[in-house]
Amino acid sequence: MARDTGTSVRSLVIYSVFVRNHTPEGTFRAVIPDLPRIHALGTDVVWLMPIHPVGEKDRKGTMGSPYANRDYRTVDPAYGTMGDFRALVDAIHAEGMRCMIDVVYNHTSPDSVLFDEHPEFFFRKPNGRPGNRVGDWSDIIDLDYGVPALWDYQIETLCRWARIVDGFRCDVASLVPVEFWKRARAEVAKVRPGCLWLAETVHRSFGAACRTAGMACARDSEAFEAFDIEYEYDVQEAFERYLKGEIPLSCYLDLLDFQENLYPQNYDKLRFLENHDTARIASRVTREADLRNHTAMLYFRKGTTLVYAGQEAACPHSPSLFDRDTVSWDTKTDLSDLMRRMADIKHGMLDADDAIFVRADDENDIAVLRREHDGRRKVGVFSLKSRAAEVEVPLPDGAYENLIDGSAVAVRGGRLACDGTPVVVTLGARGQSPCLTGGVR
């Protein structure tokens, strides 16, 4: 981990907004009226996906990917002016939230300002032409961090934005040298002390493929030297396999335990059910009862929580990155109340320094998670297929209050009768829970 990363980042909830698709207008100012609702979900940080102009050359779709950046130092005129952007950031701050923007530093669009001004900053193919190392990213050209002057330009750009925003989500950060990120972090800290750094690290299979092809691709343990938070793509492929029924729940949960024992003490992973590069979770977990268990477990897990805009409405459709595709908020399911309650639990009852222990009831697809710090225990029971079953729990016998909905739950003989809905209970520092009754010894 970056040595100055505090564990409090684990208590954050980040909400991701793609300005183009968040509202029918697709502008900075159109997002502002929605900020009170976003904040009320328990959001601490608003992450704005790339705000810069999109390249026209080789663009995909009708509007192009926001990750095919044309100019690092301006905003997309389709979204508004720099004044409009500042107004949005000011409104985010007025709501008591922080603002993070996307940093796409591995590549630019082929017609970028940077390529026009500094063609020497770019990777060249054997034929001498600019290109990219990942074949299906046909709308971008890669930068060459073997050129020292590129480091100066990019860091100066970060410092400019750091005078306005509070943090950076760094796209495919694993493909940019860790030493660059370490220097950037140090320089930005002079402008924005406490700047938040989130790395989009890569899937294990992608990293292995890159290294096999001779590309430099940092491992998660290396990237942690520069970043506060990393994506949990190191376990994402196991989660995908679990959803497909290819592996039991215990195999996935074992990897969460492996993370806890592999990374530095202050490590932090970004926990998510979906993001702009994955399928919507509601398209894969189609029963609302199951989705509620997955959502509750997301917040209970150790790490920063990500909500991708539309997730609270259980939107099944993933908005296109290449065309205007406004989020459809008119759905039959609304998870907002559950998210608000779980954010309250995360902020007020879960300790950022908790150790976490996991166990699976594979027969019933029930996850039992225990978090503990300084003698205070928190236990979550999440029936991911909404099955009713008795499960073994690390709690004394007695009656407890489910902190999610206030209902009563009982533990008898070390087992809890799960009715298929998510459960969170606590035990106090001396082994006595404020929710516990009966003759517990």
Side-chain angles (χ1 to χ4, degrees):
M1 282 299 286
R3 293 187 179 184
D4 57 347
T5 296
T7 54
S8 62
V9 294
R10 295 171 178 157
S11 298
L12 296 176
V13 176
I14 298 177
Y15 188 96
S16 174
V17 171
F18 183 16
V19 172
R20 179 197 294 170
N21 287 340
H22 194 77
T23 65
E25 298 85 354
T27 64
F28 292 131
R29 289 192 178 270
V31 175
I32 293 175
D34 198 31
L35 292 177
R37 183 193 66 83
I38 291 172
H39 189 206
L41 289 173
T43 302
D44 302 294
V45 182
V46 175
W47 154 29
L48 301 175
M49 289 168 56
I51 59 170
H52 308 296
V54 175
E56 296 182 6
K57 184 178 180 181
D58 296 334
R59 69 166 39 176
K60 295 181 179 181
T62 59
M63 303 189 75
S65 168
Y67 292 93
N69 186 333
R70 193 172 187 180
D71 188 351
Y72 287 118
R73 296 184 172 182
T74 62
V75 298
D76 191 333
Y79 292 175
T81 65
M82 181 62 78
D84 295 327
F85 172 68
R86 286 180 176 270
L88 173 56
V89 176
D90 288 345
I92 290 170
H93 289 160
E95 279 289 331
M97 299 181 289
R98 286 187 270 179
C99 180
M100 171 187 292
I101 61 170
D102 234 306
V103 173
V104 188
Y105 266 20
N106 177 67
H107 51 259
T108 74
S109 69
D111 54 351
S112 67
V113 169
L114 193 58
F115 182 70
D116 289 341
E117 295 179 352
H118 293 284
E120 72 277 14
F121 287 176
F122 287 79
F123 162 77
R124 300 284 172 162
K125 296 186 290 187
N127 62 11
R129 295 178 180 176
N132 66 81
R133 300 172 180 87
V134 180
D136 63 345
W137 297 356
S138 59
D139 55 344
I140 56 94
I141 52 176
D142 285 356
L143 290 159
D144 180 2
Y145 280 86
V147 181
L150 172 62
W151 291 40
D152 298 332
Y153 181 95
Q154 298 291 63
I155 290 172
E156 181 185 347
T157 302
L158 286 169
C159 289
R160 290 186 183 191
W161 288 110
R163 292 182 174 91
I164 304 172
V165 302
D166 310 289
F168 301 107
R169 179 267 184 189
C170 303
D171 189 64
V172 285
S174 306
L175 299 186
V176 176
V178 172
E179 290 303 315
F180 167 82
W181 292 122
K182 290 168 68 175
R183 180 181 153 193
R185 181 186 181 100
E187 293 298 317
V188 166
K190 299 173 185 177
V191 176
R192 176 72 64 173
C195 181
L196 193 62
W197 292 87
L198 165 61
E200 184 200 23
T201 43
V202 297
H203 294 78
R204 285 180 290 162
S205 61
F206 183 88
C210 287
R211 289 185 284 270
T212 299
M215 295 170 56
C217 182
R219 290 164 173 83
D220 284 15
S221 56
E222 297 167 323
F224 263 141
E225 296 178 23
F227 289 92
D228 301 309
I229 314 167
E230 285 185 352
Y231 269 46
E232 62 170 345
Y233 277 157
D234 54 334
V235 299
Q236 179 67 15
E237 287 162 317
F239 180 63
E240 298 279 342
R241 293 183 65 199
Y242 166 67
L243 290 180
K244 293 176 183 177
E246 296 175 356
I247 60 172
L249 178 61
S250 58
C251 289
Y252 168 59
L253 294 186
D254 280 348
L255 285 178
L256 300 185
D257 181 68
F258 187 69
Q259 286 181 331
E260 182 76 353
N261 290 280
L262 172 67
Y263 295 121
Q265 185 277 333
N266 63 336
Y267 86 99
D268 185 32
K269 284 287 184 174
L270 185 71
R271 306 303 185 180
F272 53 83
L273 294 174
E274 60 183 54
N275 62 59
H276 66 267
D277 284 323
T278 69
R280 290 281 199 183
I281 190 64
S283 72
R284 312 193 64 185
V285 178
T286 56
R287 294 200 310 167
E288 181 179 347
D290 299 352
L291 193 56
R292 293 181 71 83
N293 276 280
H294 276 275
T295 300
M297 188 169 108
L298 168 68
Y299 282 79
F300 192 84
R301 291 168 62 197
K302 184 176 177 177
T304 300
T305 302
L306 174 68
V307 176
Y308 179 43
Q311 183 177 333
E312 66 270 41
C315 294
H317 171 68
S318 298
S320 171
L321 285 178
F322 312 120
D323 303 284
R324 176 61 61 80
D325 191 8
T326 306
V327 174
S328 176
W329 299 97
D330 186 20
T331 62
K332 296 179 180 179
T333 302
D334 186 358
L335 301 173
S336 299
D337 286 345
L338 174 62
M339 288 182 168
R340 277 191 286 269
R341 182 58 191 145
M342 289 307 304
D344 286 344
I345 291 172
K346 181 181 183 73
H347 290 141
M349 301 176 190
L350 302 180
D351 195 305
D353 292 314
D354 282 338
I356 189 165
F357 306 88
V358 298
R359 191 173 59 79
D361 174 348
D362 282 332
E363 182 180 354
N364 295 295
D365 287 274
I366 297 176
V368 179
L369 277 58
R370 171 168 64 95
R371 297 181 56 150
E372 191 158 346
H373 175 71
D374 197 24
R376 185 167 178 80
R377 181 176 299 180
K378 288 78 65 169
V379 175
V381 178
F382 308 102
S383 183
L384 302 182
K385 298 291 178 64
S386 305
R387 294 177 179 137
E390 285 196 352
V391 290
E392 184 179 343
V393 290
L395 292 166
D397 287 1
Y400 295 81
E401 178 188 7
N402 183 355
L403 298 180
I404 298 176
D405 60 12
S407 62
V409 292
V411 177
R412 297 185 180 90
R415 302 180 71 82
L416 182 147
C418 171
D419 66 0
T421 61
V423 173
V424 174
V425 300
T426 64
L427 265 175
R430 292 178 294 177
Q432 295 283 344
S433 169
C435 311
L436 184 64
T437 61
V440 177
R441 294 189 293 271

